[in-house]
Amino acid sequence: MHEEEEIKIACSMFKKYESEIKNLTQKINESKKINQKSRYAEGLLKEVEKLLSCPDYDEIKLDCKNCRTISEFRKQTAELVIKTCKLRGI
């Protein structure tokens, strides 16, 4: 079993949402039913959008760049899960 490493980004907003994002990601991975995966992915997308619309984003700060990169990957993942569920007729 692969253990996920804790992401260390010095940002209160990232820390605020990271727990819920990890929780939703775990639920997506563990869900057996496609419609559940879709609901969790929609929740993940909403949480990630909060980080991507951060009013304090500073392109010079490494923590901001890392948060943005991670959030973009998570957004793509959520969108892919949602799209896959729609293709399956859910």
Side-chain angles (χ1 to χ4, degrees):
M1 184 171 168
H2 173 73
E3 286 188 37
E4 187 177 326
E5 291 183 30
E6 183 178 341
I7 300 169
K8 300 203 190 289
I9 293 180
C11 170
S12 60
M13 189 165 176
F14 182 84
K15 290 176 184 175
K16 177 180 177 181
Y17 296 112
E18 182 63 5
S19 176
E20 182 61 17
I21 287 171
K22 282 185 174 184
N23 181 44
L24 288 165
T25 301
Q26 181 179 356
K27 287 180 178 182
I28 291 168
N29 292 334
E30 292 175 352
S31 294
K32 303 291 184 208
K33 296 182 180 180
I34 297 297
N35 60 346
Q36 287 178 332
K37 284 184 183 285
S38 181
R39 280 196 309 268
Y40 294 137
E42 288 171 8
L44 175 62
L45 190 57
K46 287 178 185 177
E47 294 300 307
V48 169
E49 287 292 343
K50 292 174 187 175
L51 292 174
L52 291 172
S53 63
C54 178
D56 297 325
Y57 177 73
D58 183 347
E59 64 186 28
I60 296 172
K61 291 182 181 178
L62 184 58
D63 282 330
C64 287
K65 287 181 182 181
N66 289 337
C67 175
R68 180 67 51 102
T69 299
I70 291 165
S71 296
E72 284 291 342
F73 283 129
R74 288 172 167 170
K75 178 181 178 182
Q76 290 172 2
T77 300
E79 290 173 339
L80 183 61
V81 170
I82 293 167
K83 187 173 186 175
T84 300
C85 291
K86 285 182 181 178
L87 289 173
R88 291 186 155 195
I90 303 301

